[in-house]
Structure formats: structure tokens, C-alpha cells
Amino acid sequence: MVFRNKTATILAAGALGSSMLSGCAADGTLDMNRAIGTGLGAAAGLAVCSVTGANDTECALAVLAGAAAGYVIADRINPEDKPQRDATVATVLADEQIAVGQTTSYEVADTGSEGEVTLLALTTNSDGWQCKQLEEDYNPANADGISETYTMCQNPQTGEWENA
């Protein structure tokens, strides 16, 4: 991704640095789920900013909003639900037979939580990577649900899916 200017680059670096700080628990240990969630959210906010051609103020707001959303989602996913959630997202990313608009659901019997991942769009980024826009709804058994829309792009050299 090419950043439009120095301010956007500084915003990205600051948001990613703060993602590491946000993952610090009260006892000084690092909560990787929070750190990664915040960092991915900030990166998604910056990606939206870069694609839309927003000004510096709009970029700052997009990065902060993305970081906040990533933090909240990472903080609210029950550790017991994470393997099933990750497997469902991986299925939607890997399965070429899943059509745009199709929803793949999951349920975690042990916790009573459920979720679904919907493929919203197929695109190609500026580097020529295949991308999939996903909407994810996560409904933990004893808390309010969470909904997030994000884009993942596949690195053609490694085959890995990366948050855009």
C-alpha cells in the first residue's frame, strides 16, 4: 500500500504502535488478541482512507475508528469461540464455490455463541491481489453482538490472506 503523504504514514505508525500498548493488561503482560485486533483495525481504517482519497483529518478519524473497532471486537471474542470463528472465516476465504451474498454460519456448542460470515464482494487491489470483502456478525451467548465489515486480500506469492 502506498501512503499519500507523510501525515498518513505517521498516523499509521502511531496507530500500530498504540495497538501494542492497547494490548497491555493491568499486570503488564501483552494481550495479543487486543494488540492484533487494534492493529488490524487501524490498518483497515488507513486502507479505507487511502482508497477513498480522504484528507488528513478524515484519515486520522478512519484510523482511530478502525483501531477502536478492532480493539472492541478482539476484546469481546470469547477465547473458546475463536477456533470456530477463525475456521469459518478461513472457509469463506478459501472456498471458491462461495458466492457473493452467501452467508456461512457457525455455532459453538460449549458456549452457546454463534456467528456468521457473509461474502459481500470480490475485488482486486492495486497490486493485483484477489480480495474478498466480508461482513462478520458475532453473537456471544451472554453479551451484545458485534458486526464488522472488512476486506482481506490474498498474497499471490505466499497464498496467505492479509487484512487490507
Side-chain angles (χ1 to χ4, degrees):
M1 174 183 307
V2 176
F3 299 117
R4 291 186 355 249
N5 57 38
K6 185 177 178 181
T7 303
T9 304
I10 291 168
L11 286 170
L16 294 174
S18 68
S19 75
M20 296 308 292
L21 293 175
S22 72
C24 291
D27 64 2
T29 61
L30 181 64
D31 181 334
M32 286 305 292
N33 286 341
R34 287 181 181 171
I36 291 169
T38 304
L40 290 176
L46 184 61
V48 168
C49 158
S50 295
V51 169
T52 62
N55 65 39
D56 288 344
T57 302
E58 293 166 335
C59 284
L61 293 173
V63 168
L64 291 173
Y71 179 89
V72 168
I73 290 169
D75 191 46
R76 302 237 344 248
I77 293 178
N78 294 331
E80 299 86 7
D81 298 341
K82 191 167 177 15
Q84 185 60 50
R85 177 256 178 209
D86 291 350
T88 303
V89 170
T91 296
V92 173
L93 291 173
D95 191 339
E96 296 297 323
Q97 302 303 312
I98 295 177
V100 172
Q102 186 173 341
T103 298
T104 303
S105 301
Y106 67 91
E107 218 174 292
V108 183
D110 292 345
T111 65
S113 299
E114 60 186 22
E116 58 186 31
V117 180
T118 303
L119 177 60
L120 297 178
L122 298 172
T123 60
T124 303
N125 73 7
S126 60
D127 294 326
W129 296 10
Q130 174 191 357
C131 301
K132 293 186 177 186
Q133 183 182 32
L134 307 176
E135 178 179 52
E136 184 176 350
D137 295 310
Y138 170 65
N139 299 299
N142 298 320
D144 292 336
I146 303 166
S147 183
E148 178 185 33
T149 300
Y150 55 93
T151 301
M152 301 289 289
C153 297
Q154 188 175 35
N155 182 327
Q157 293 181 334
T158 65
E160 297 290 322
W161 287 90
E162 301 176 11
N163 200 315

